[in-house]
Amino acid sequence: MSRLSPPPGPTAVRGAPTDGPPAARRFLISGQLHHPLALTVADLRTRWPQRHAPVVFDCATNGPQHHTFDGPLLRDVLDAAGPAFDARRRKDRSRFLLTVTGGDGHHTVLSWAEIDADFGDAPILLATAMDGQPLDAAGCQLVVPSDRCGARYISAITGIWVGTCPAPDGP
């Protein structure tokens, strides 16, 4: 179960990834976008309103985990990057996929339809804080409050790719 606060209004930040102290590390949002982005946890915290989500997920090694996360909606951040689809065409949007990669190499795939208000409308977050503690040093985290297990929770995000799924070859 999750509880979310009011809707945001995004502003984009552009730049290149930087090495340096963890608070200054950027992750890239790339792919089929009009405005690829490079963002820090601080950018996520200051440029988009934060949602609050208490979550419980089953961890295969440690059992049920109870946490609270704060951060902007993934959908709102990606909207600022300008996905290269015709927003008026639902079928065009439904072909887009997202891959999210973490600092440990773990990655997951989501569909645009999961986060799109006309389809799944899932309140997936790019967390800037966990249990009240800022994630600047650790890096932002993908949080999927509706998931029963934590496999799609990606820590220390290094990149998000957005693009179309090619049509399969016919029989």
Side-chain angles (χ1 to χ4, degrees):
M1 280 309 234
S2 67
R3 181 177 53 89
L4 299 175
S5 57
T11 306
V13 171
R14 293 182 189 215
T18 61
D19 295 324
R25 286 193 197 134
R26 297 181 183 273
F27 68 94
L28 298 176
I29 300 178
S30 61
Q32 295 173 346
L33 303 167
H34 296 294
H35 313 288
L37 302 171
L39 300 168
T40 64
V41 172
D43 294 331
L44 292 173
R45 186 180 303 107
T46 60
R47 300 192 183 274
W48 290 272
Q50 304 297 284
R51 304 291 181 110
H52 181 75
V55 299
V56 177
F57 60 88
D58 287 321
C59 176
T61 56
N62 298 320
Q65 301 292 303
H66 299 263
H67 295 286
T68 59
F69 292 95
D70 296 289
L73 288 176
L74 172 62
R75 172 183 58 232
D76 293 335
V77 175
L78 293 178
D79 280 345
F85 52 65
D86 183 346
R88 299 167 296 180
R89 298 182 63 210
R90 289 184 176 127
K91 288 184 180 181
D92 199 22
R93 289 180 280 157
S94 69
R95 295 181 306 114
F96 272 66
L97 297 175
L98 319 169
T99 59
V100 182
T101 305
D104 62 357
H106 181 62
H107 63 279
T108 195
V109 176
L110 302 160
S111 71
W112 186 272
E114 285 182 81
I115 64 172
D116 191 294
D118 285 341
F119 295 98
D121 199 20
I124 297 172
L125 301 180
L126 291 176
T128 60
M130 181 173 85
D131 299 329
Q133 299 299 311
L135 292 174
D136 296 77
C140 72
Q141 181 169 331
L142 182 74
V143 175
V144 186
S146 61
D147 280 6
R148 295 168 96 182
C149 76
R152 293 198 299 175
Y153 283 53
I154 306 294
S155 299
I157 293 174
T158 57
I160 299 173
W161 176 88
V162 179
T164 57
C165 177
D169 292 334

